[in-house]
């Protein structure tokens, strides 16, 4: 990664092993041994290679040893394993020999500095990435030329974290990882990296006071120069430019600070000069952030208007196509809008004004996109605003205004609860418990006639609620995997025995389910079954769902290491029962005359319940066995049964496949519910699509650009995942159409047979 990315490849030589050497099924100590051996061989070859000898003896060179064995063994076996502990011993001995080799090669001239550090820590499970100190605190040990000796006189810096090290007699000096670059640059006497925001840690340097103060002074100038570049860019492009207050007053004017520091250096007041450099660094870094976030208010305003406009625009389309009758739409189209000219004029003026502002400020092209979309969406919404009026009028004809308002507020509140579930999975458990008691709010007759169904729903919801309370860092438990597999097999056998009750059964249907139950080893064929079977001929919905659930089960079992299979099983059971309840409620409402009895019907306010429960199950499918942090923490144990050789693309694909399998089940059940409720194919889907970006808007304002890399990455991941949710929903909808195929839903006498 250093050789390929170097600005001058001729100045970098690299010796490395192939990715095949990183095998998680083997002891990775050999990776570190290989590095030490190669370096030893390199030094040995200098005796017969004059060119190599010249390179190694050159001034200002860096020798980098990448010791990946500890990382690999930590992921595979954990940091408390025998393999990891032995690997530490190998690295310790390897470093001792390497230092001795280097000192001997250079004749013990005392001109070599050593830095030992790491890029990240590790949890007890062998993962990393979250904000825990075990993962974000890394070692930094420096010694050799130019490095100050350990402070044993009055050691400071220790806390509970380092108490167990038993090094209280040596001072601990913490720095940021960005500070290592200027430290190395100072030690070997080269320029600081151009875009470095690291601050030179003077506490590490053993040199003259004049050298140290001049070094940090240059470091301050380098950071200040970055600030100046940002300052000039904004000053030249912003129409109403506001400078950073911290470096624009008389006390902390950059040029004045530079002159003061130089004056103190000339007067040999080095400590005061160092203190001013620290202040200048702090102000420069704050100023950099100020200009990096300078356009936030404008951009956030555009993006917010765009998201709200898109929500209203998509709702308008959904209502027009799937909630209003043709007569209502015809009336809307025939109406003469007296404000049409004004709306178009305002839209045109907005485009000109905002476009001119962005052009004058030399804004990037993406800014124009952020501006154009909200203007377009809001123009369309305002031109057809009567659609919302008619939908409200139609809704008020079936319920009171208080009931309608309660529906809307409740819908938004539930979406906000689902937003919170991204940060606290336990909220989904609470939702499961509430859903378990849902049948209690149904009519007494319905409860009495379907007691067994509602008891099954109650039990499945309570069991499913357990999984979002379990830890996301799972140790391998093969017993739980086997139990989950057995439950799936037994359910498949029961389904096979009961398949004769389906009137829509076609020849060979029973054999297909039986084949899936007994042919677990034929993984590819089983998983491909839903794509090849049931698409051309009608199939009973229960039979179709059984085929889909059993098809993905073997692959999911192979990619599981603990309770994930049990989660898959109970989620599938809960989804199937959910369909039964929705189907039952709809048929009951039809019999009581509350619903349309024939053909495809229009969307109604009560259908919002189905869309919300669907969104809930989508979140459960995602967070049932993990969270964003755990999915990004490189836990590779799930793929070891299929591959142990380090291959980021293959391993990442397998992990992604495991994550999305539950979504296949959710989308299939949702597709069958859509058919059972006599709704148009896109009806419920567009209702979900229209409102899901309410959550995205939340995540947009929660994005952070500071903190640990996972804290930053997690907030960005939340926003990206939610932003792509619309596309994901479209894919899920298309998949549900494929998976569901020509599924038939029982009617009339078939329902009696099913009961």
């Amino acid at each position: 990664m250093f050789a390929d990315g170097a600005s001058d490849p001729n100045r970098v030589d690299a010796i490395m092993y192939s990715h095949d050497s990183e095998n998680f099924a083997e002891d990775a100590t050999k990776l570190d041994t290989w590095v030490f051996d190669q370096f030893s061989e390199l030094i040995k070859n200098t005796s017969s290679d004059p060119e190599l000898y010249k390179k190694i003896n050159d001034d200002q060179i860096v020798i980098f040893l990448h010791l990946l064995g500890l990382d690999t063994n930590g992921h595979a076996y954990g940091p408390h394993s025998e393999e990891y502990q032995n690997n530490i011993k190998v690295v310790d001995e390897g470093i001792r020999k390497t230092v001795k080799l280097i000192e001997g090669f250079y004749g013990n001239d005392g001109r070599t500095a050593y830095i030992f550090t790491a890029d990240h820590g590790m949890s007890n499970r062998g993962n990393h990435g979250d904000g825990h100190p075990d993962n974000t605190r890394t070692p930094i040990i420096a010694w050799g030329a130019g490095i100050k000796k350990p402070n044993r006189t009055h050691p400071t810096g220790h806390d509970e974290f380092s108490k167990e090290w038993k090094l209280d007699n040596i001072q601990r000096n913490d720095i940021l990882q960005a500070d290592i670059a200027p430290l190395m640059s100072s030690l070997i006497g080269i320029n600081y990296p151009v875009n470095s925001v690291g601050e030179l840690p003077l506490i590490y340097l053993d040199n003259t006071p004049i050298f140290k103060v001049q070094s940090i002074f240059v470091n301050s100038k380098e950071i200040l120069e970055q600030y100046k570049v940002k300052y000039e860019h904004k000053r030249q492009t912003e129409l109403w430019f506001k400078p950073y207050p911290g470096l624009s007053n008389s006390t902390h004017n950059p040029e004045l600070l530079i002159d003061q520091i130089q004056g103190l250096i000339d007067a040999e007041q080095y400590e005061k000069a160092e203190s001013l450099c620290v202040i200048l660094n702090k102000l420069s870094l704050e100023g950099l952030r100020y200009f990096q976030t300078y356009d936030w208010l404008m951009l956030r305003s555009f993006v917010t208007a765009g998201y709200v406009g898109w929500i209203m625009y998509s709702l308008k389309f959904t209502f027009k196509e799937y909630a209003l009758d043709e007569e209502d739409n015809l009336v809307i189209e025939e109406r003469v809008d007296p404000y049409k000219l004004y709306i178009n004029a305002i839209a045109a003026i907005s485009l000109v004004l905002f476009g001119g502002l962005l052009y004058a400020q030399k804004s990037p092209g993406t800014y124009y996109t952020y501006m154009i979309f909200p203007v377009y969406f809001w123009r369309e919404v305002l031109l057809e605003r009567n659609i919302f009026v008619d939908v409200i009028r139609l809704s008020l004809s079936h319920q009171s205004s208080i009931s309608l308002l309660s529906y809307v507020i409740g819908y938004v509140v539930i979406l906000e609860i689902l937003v919170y579930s991204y940060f606290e999975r336990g909220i989904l458990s609470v939702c499961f418990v509430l859903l378990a008691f849902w049948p209690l709010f149904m009519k007494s007759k319905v409860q009495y006639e379907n007691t067994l169904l509602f008891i099954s729903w109650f039990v499945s919801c309570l069991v499913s609620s357990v999984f979002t309370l379990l830890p996301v860092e799972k140790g391998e438990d093969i017993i739980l995997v086997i139990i989950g597999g057995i439950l799936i097999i037994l359910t498949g056998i029961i389904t096979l025995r009961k398949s004769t009750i389906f009137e829509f059964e076609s020849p060979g249907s029973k054999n297909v389910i039986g084949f899936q139950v007994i042919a677990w080893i034929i993984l590819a064929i089983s998983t491909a079954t839903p794509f090849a079977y049931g698409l051309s001929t009608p199939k009973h919905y229960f039979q179709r769902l059984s085929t889909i659930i059993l098809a993905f089960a073997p692959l999911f079992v192979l990619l599981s290491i603990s309770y994930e299979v049990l989660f898959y099983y109970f989620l599938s059971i809960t989804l199937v029962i959910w369909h039964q309840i929705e189907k039952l409620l709809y048929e009951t409402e039809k019999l009581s005359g509350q619903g349309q009895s024939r053909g495809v019907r229009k969307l109604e306010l009560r259908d919002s319940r189905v869309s919300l429960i669907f969104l809930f199950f989508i979140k459960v499918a995602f967070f049932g066995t993990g969270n964003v942090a755990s999915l990004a923490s490189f836990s590779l144990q799930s793929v070891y049964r299929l591959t142990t050789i380090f291959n980021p693309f293959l391993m990442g694909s397998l992990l992604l496949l495991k994550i999305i399998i539950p979504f296949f089940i959710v989308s299939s059940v949702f597709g069958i519910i859509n058919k059972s409720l006599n709704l148009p194919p896109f009806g419920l889907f567009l209702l979900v699509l229209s409102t899901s970006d309410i959550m995205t808007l939340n995540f947009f304002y929660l994005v952070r650009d500071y903190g640990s890399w996972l804290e930053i990455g997690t907030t960005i991941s939340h926003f990206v995942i939610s932003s792509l949710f619309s596309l994901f929903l479209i894919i899920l909808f298309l998949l549900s159409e494929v998976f569901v195929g020509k599924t038939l839903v029982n009617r009339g006498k078939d329902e009696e047979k099913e009961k």
Side-chain angles (χ1 to χ4, degrees), residues 297-354:
L297 178 60
M298 178 183 68
L299 291 177
R300 283 181 168 179
S301 300
F302 282 152
V303 173
T304 301
Y307 270 114
V308 177
W310 157 252
I311 293 170
M312 299 298 292
Y313 176 81
S314 54
L315 277 175
K316 179 211 69 170
F317 178 83
T318 304
F319 291 157
K320 182 178 181 180
E321 295 295 325
Y322 300 107
L324 297 177
D325 294 328
E326 293 182 5
E327 294 80 5
D328 294 325
N329 286 325
L330 187 61
V331 170
I332 292 174
E333 292 174 0
E334 291 179 349
R335 287 174 182 165
V336 177
D337 187 357
Y339 300 103
K340 182 176 181 179
L341 180 60
Y342 298 106
I343 293 172
N344 287 328
I346 292 174
I349 293 172
S350 299
L351 283 175
V352 172
L353 288 178
F354 289 133

Side-chain angles (χ1 to χ4, degrees), residues 422-580:
Y422 277 73
F423 304 95
E424 181 54 60
R425 295 165 62 239
I427 196 67
L428 297 175
S429 298
V430 176
C431 295
F432 261 124
V433 173
L434 294 176
L435 277 175
F437 292 96
W438 173 30
L440 296 180
F441 297 91
M442 300 175 189
K443 294 180 180 179
S444 301
K445 183 179 179 182
V446 174
Q447 295 181 34
Y448 177 76
E449 293 178 350
N450 300 274
T451 304
L452 182 60
L453 176 64
F454 292 145
I455 291 176
S456 301
W457 170 257
F458 182 82
V459 172
S460 66
C461 282
L462 290 185
V463 174
S464 298
S465 70
V466 173
F467 295 102
T468 45
L469 295 176
L470 297 177
V472 296
E473 289 191 353
K474 302 173 284 293
E476 187 164 359
D477 192 333
I478 194 65
I479 301 299
L480 293 179
V481 177
I482 293 174
I483 292 174
I486 291 174
L487 286 175
I488 293 174
I489 292 176
L490 291 177
T491 305
I493 293 173
I494 294 172
T495 303
L496 180 64
R497 290 176 59 85
K498 297 292 184 180
S499 63
T500 54
I501 69 172
F502 305 142
E503 184 171 304
F504 300 121
E505 180 186 8
S506 60
S509 298
K510 186 174 182 179
N511 295 334
V512 169
I513 297 180
F515 169 78
Q516 287 181 284
V517 173
I518 65 175
W520 284 68
I521 60 172
I522 312 177
L523 179 64
I525 298 177
S526 179
T527 306
T529 302
F531 297 95
Y533 170 76
L535 300 182
S536 58
T537 56
K539 294 292 179 292
H540 187 277
Y541 71 90
F542 195 79
Q543 176 192 339
R544 184 61 183 163
L545 280 179
S546 300
T547 302
I548 295 170
I549 294 170
L550 290 172
F552 291 106
L555 182 59
F556 197 81
V557 169
L558 288 177
L559 293 173
S560 298
I561 62 172
S562 184
Y563 61 80
E564 306 101 296
V565 183
L566 292 172
F567 164 76
Y568 177 83
Y569 174 77
F570 285 105
L571 175 65
S572 301
I573 295 295
T574 306
L575 286 167
V576 171
I577 298 175
W578 173 45
H579 165 261
Q580 292 294 96

